Amino acid sequence: MSTKKIKKLLVANRGEIAIRVIRAARDLGIPTVAVYSDIDRTALHVRMADEAYHIGPTESAQSYLRADKLIDVMKKSGANAVHPGYGFLSERTHFSRAVIDAGYIWVGPPPDAIDAMGSKTAARQQATKGGVPVVPGDKEPIRDATDARKTAKTVGYPIMVKAVNGGGGKGMRVVRSDAELDGALALAQNEAQAFFGDSSVYIEKYIENPRHIEIQIIFDEHGNGVHLFERECSLQRRHQKVVEECPSPFVRPDVAAKMGEDALKAGRAVGYTNAGTVEFIMDANQNYYFLEMNTRIQVEHPVTEMVTGVDLVKTQLLVAQGEKLPFRQSDIVKRGHAIECRICAEDPANNYMPSPGLITHLQNPEGPGVRVDSGVYEGWEVPMSYDPMIAKLITWGSDRREATQRMRRALLEYKIGGITTNIPFHLALLEHPDFGTAAFDTHWLDNKFKFQAQPAPSDEMPLALAAAALARKDSAVPAAQPDGGSSGSMWKIVGREAQLRRL
C-alpha cells in the first residue's frame, strides 16, 4: 500500500539518463522538472521535461553538483521528489540527506546505506558481515609501509594498493615484489589525495586477468528484494566500461545464481532499498569476490531491462513511493541476450580525443531488437564540458549471436554527422575473434585490442560514388525512361544503384 505519492519529479541530471528518467515518469503520469547549466540551455532533456530551471554556469561544480541550488528548484517548482540518475550527486550522502530532511522523496537508497558502501574498506566490512566473499586483504586503511608489508606477506604478491575512496582506476597500483612496494604506495597515496581529497589506501590480493561481473538488485521498503541476474562488464578501456552484456557469456548458470544470492546478502547487510548494483571480480576458475556496490541506477541497466522485461527506472519510482515490488524472484525470467555499446563523441583513431561540436545530421538505427537511449538531436552542439557519452545503443536477440548481428546492423545504420564518434571502434570490436568467443578480461581492450581506422563502407562515401556513377551514367542512360514513371533524374538513378549495391 502506497504511503506517499510523487506529484512532480525533479530530475537532477542531464543527458541520456535525464531523458530516461523523464520517460519513466511520463509512463506513470508524473510531471517532470529539468535543470540545466549555461551550456545546456537547449539540451534535449530541457526540451522534453514539463518545466526547466537554470542552475548556474557550465562548470558542474557550480551547477549540477550544487545541492543547495537543486533544493531551491524543488521549492520553486513544487516538485516533491528527486531522481539523481547516475554520476553527479547520485551517491553523495549530503544531498540525499538534504532532500529527505526537507521533506521530499528521495528516489534512491537510504543515506546510511550510501555511506556504508561509499568507502571501499567500509564496503568490504559490510560484505564480509553479510557473508559475501571479498578479495583477501585489508578491511581498514593501512597506516604506513610496515602495515602494507604485513598484508603483502599474508596474502602474497602480487598485490593491489587501492584508494579507500577511489574509483575510475585512480589511486591504484599493482605491486609484484617487495622492492616495488614503497614507490607504488607513495604514488597511490598522492593520486588518492589529488583526486579524492583523501590519501587513505588499503591492500588486497591482485587477481590476474579478472573479469568484471555485476548483479542488479532492487529492494522495496517492506523487506522484499530480488536480483535481476548478472551483467558482463569486462570490456573496459582505461577502467571505463565500453560494452556490456546480459547475461555473461562466461559465467556458469550455477555460479551466476550463487552470485545473485550473495548480492542480495550484501544489500540486506546495509538495509538497502531501491535499485543498486553489486560488482564482483572473477578469476579464470570462476571464483568471485565482492568489489564494490554502486548505490544508484547504472549506465548499463538497459541490457537487464531488455532481457528481463522489467522497467528498472519505473520500478525505482514505485518503490520510492513506498509501494511493494510488483514482482517476486520467481517472476523474473531471463529471456535472450542483450548487448550495449556506449556511443561517445570521441575519435578512436586519435587516442580517443573528445570530439565536441555541432551535430549536422542524425539518423538513429531502428528495427527489431534495437533500442537507442540518446541525449542529443540534430542541430545540437555537443559540449566539451561533460562526459563524451552521447547515447547508448542496445540490441536484443534470442541468443548472443543474434544480438551481435543486430548490433552490427544497427551500428552501420547509425549516422551522426558533424562530429567524430566511436562507432567504427565498436564495429571493429564486434569483428574481433576474441569478442565472438568471449575470450576477454578487463585488461583485454588496453593490452590486446588495437583499433585501426578502416575506409568507410562504399555506401558511406556519397560524394565520391555519386560523382563516379554520374560520370558513367551520362553516356549510358537514355533521356526518358520507357515506363513513363521516371524522369530519368540522375539523383534517382544513383540512389537506386546505391540501394542495389547494399542488397
Side-chain angles (χ1 to χ4, degrees):
M1 178 116 185
S2 177
T3 57
K4 46 194 175 182
K5 182 75 175 174
I6 298 177
K7 298 175 182 173
K8 186 185 285 188
L9 179 70
L10 173 73
V11 183
N13 216 298
R14 64 179 299 282
E16 68 84 21
I17 188 59
I19 293 161
R20 173 71 186 88
V21 174
I22 289 170
R23 286 185 168 134
R26 279 186 178 170
D27 284 349
L28 292 170
I30 300 172
T32 54
V33 178
V35 291
Y36 61 92
S37 67
D38 283 350
I39 206 163
D40 273 344
R41 190 173 297 275
T42 60
L44 188 57
H45 74 281
V46 176
R47 290 183 167 198
M48 286 191 65
D50 297 293
E51 300 173 38
Y53 290 80
H54 179 242
I55 53 170
T58 300
E59 295 79 14
S60 54
Q62 298 302 318
S63 51
Y64 296 107
L65 288 172
R66 287 285 299 271
D68 57 334
K69 291 186 176 181
L70 295 167
I71 297 289
D72 188 50
V73 170
M74 297 191 76
K75 293 175 182 171
K76 289 177 182 172
S77 66
N80 73 329
V82 58
H83 192 301
Y86 52 70
F88 291 132
L89 292 174
S90 60
E91 293 180 284
R92 303 291 181 92
T93 309
H94 74 277
F95 181 49
S96 57
R97 283 210 169 95
V99 169
I100 294 168
D101 289 347
Y104 300 124
I105 298 171
W106 168 250
V107 185
D112 287 348
I114 300 175
D115 257 348
M117 289 297 183
S119 150
K120 290 187 186 301
T121 47
R124 284 166 61 82
Q125 293 170 21
Q126 295 295 338
T128 303
K129 189 173 78 176
V132 182
V134 300
V135 179
D138 297 319
K139 295 184 179 62
E140 298 282 351
I142 58 171
R143 291 169 297 182
D144 50 31
T146 302
D147 280 355
R149 283 192 167 79
K150 283 182 184 174
T151 305
K153 188 175 180 180
T154 302
V155 301
Y157 287 105
I159 60 171
M160 177 78 89
V161 183
K162 299 179 76 170
V164 168
N165 293 305
K170 306 298 182 187
M172 292 169 51
R173 289 292 184 281
V174 178
V175 183
R176 296 187 178 278
S177 70
D178 212 43
E180 297 176 4
L181 185 55
D182 288 345
L185 184 59
L187 286 171
Q189 288 174 322
N190 290 339
E191 201 167 270
Q193 180 65 43
F195 280 91
F196 312 114
D198 180 357
S199 63
S200 301
V201 297
Y202 71 102
I203 306 288
E204 66 180 28
K205 177 72 178 172
Y206 177 64
I207 306 298
E208 300 275 7
N209 304 319
R211 296 184 83 111
H212 180 124
I213 310 294
E214 62 186 29
I215 303 288
Q216 176 72 55
I217 58 172
I218 189 163
F219 287 87
D220 63 23
E221 297 173 0
H222 305 274
N224 305 304
V226 300
H227 71 80
L228 294 98
F229 309 116
E230 82 280 10
R231 292 189 286 257
E232 169 72 62
C233 303
S234 300
L235 286 170
Q236 302 179 9
R237 190 177 64 78
R238 300 172 188 169
H239 302 286
Q240 296 295 323
K241 298 167 190 169
V242 176
V243 174
E244 299 97 346
E245 302 182 52
C246 179
S248 167
F250 174 72
V251 182
R252 295 195 313 267
D254 61 316
V255 177
K258 192 166 187 310
M259 293 175 78
E261 289 303 315
D262 280 341
L264 290 172
K265 289 179 187 174
R268 291 190 185 102
V270 293
Y272 203 84
T273 60
N274 219 285
T277 300
V278 181
E279 298 189 334
F280 294 95
I281 194 168
M282 176 176 278
D283 67 19
N285 296 316
Q286 306 220 2
N287 298 306
Y288 62 88
Y289 309 95
F290 174 86
L291 186 62
E292 64 180 355
M293 184 171 184
N294 289 319
T295 53
R296 54 174 166 75
I297 194 75
Q298 291 277 84
V299 174
E300 57 270 25
H301 75 274
V303 291
T304 298
E305 293 184 325
M306 297 287 274
V307 167
T308 63
V310 172
D311 185 329
L312 285 167
V313 180
K314 180 178 169 183
T315 308
Q316 280 191 291
L317 297 173
L318 296 175
V319 167
Q321 291 186 145
E323 297 184 27
K324 289 185 176 179
L325 286 176
F327 40 73
R328 297 168 297 180
Q329 188 66 62
S330 58
D331 298 324
I332 311 297
V333 178
K334 195 188 301 183
R335 179 174 166 270
H337 195 99
I339 300 173
E340 175 182 285
C341 289
R342 300 188 183 197
I343 307 301
C344 298
E346 62 184 18
D347 185 356
N350 189 21
N351 198 29
Y352 301 90
M353 287 285 288
S355 177
L358 181 68
I359 296 177
T360 57
H361 174 68
L362 178 62
Q363 180 182 320
N364 287 326
E366 297 176 346
V370 176
R371 166 176 166 179
V372 180
D373 282 16
S374 173
V376 301
Y377 60 89
E378 185 175 308
W380 187 63
E381 189 157 345
V382 178
M384 183 73 173
S385 310
Y386 306 114
D387 189 283
M389 191 182 79
I390 57 174
K392 301 180 306 199
L393 176 59
I394 309 103
T395 57
W396 178 90
S398 58
D399 54 24
R400 188 171 188 257
R401 181 171 176 268
E402 186 176 56
T404 303
Q405 289 171 334
R406 283 178 169 164
M407 180 59 77
R408 185 180 295 109
R409 184 256 297 170
L411 287 165
L412 287 170
E413 287 181 7
Y414 212 158
K415 308 297 182 191
I416 305 175
I419 60 172
T420 302
T421 73
N422 62 347
I423 289 175
F425 164 87
H426 285 300
L427 282 166
L429 176 60
L430 295 187
E431 295 299 327
H432 198 288
D434 286 356
F435 180 84
T437 57
F440 46 73
D441 55 47
T442 58
H443 305 309
W444 183 84
L445 268 180
D446 288 330
N447 298 338
K448 296 184 179 177
F449 179 75
K450 304 299 179 190
F451 172 74
Q452 291 185 320
Q454 300 293 319
S458 59
D459 62 341
E460 293 191 7
M461 294 191 292
L463 291 179
L465 284 176
L470 280 169
R472 287 197 306 273
K473 283 294 176 185
D474 273 346
S475 59
V477 178
Q481 296 299 303
D483 62 5
S486 169
S487 66
S489 161
M490 286 300 180
W491 290 109
K492 287 185 178 179
I493 294 166
V494 171
R496 286 171 183 161
E497 280 215 336
Q499 292 300 319
L500 288 170
R501 279 199 300 277
R502 289 192 194 118
L503 293 173

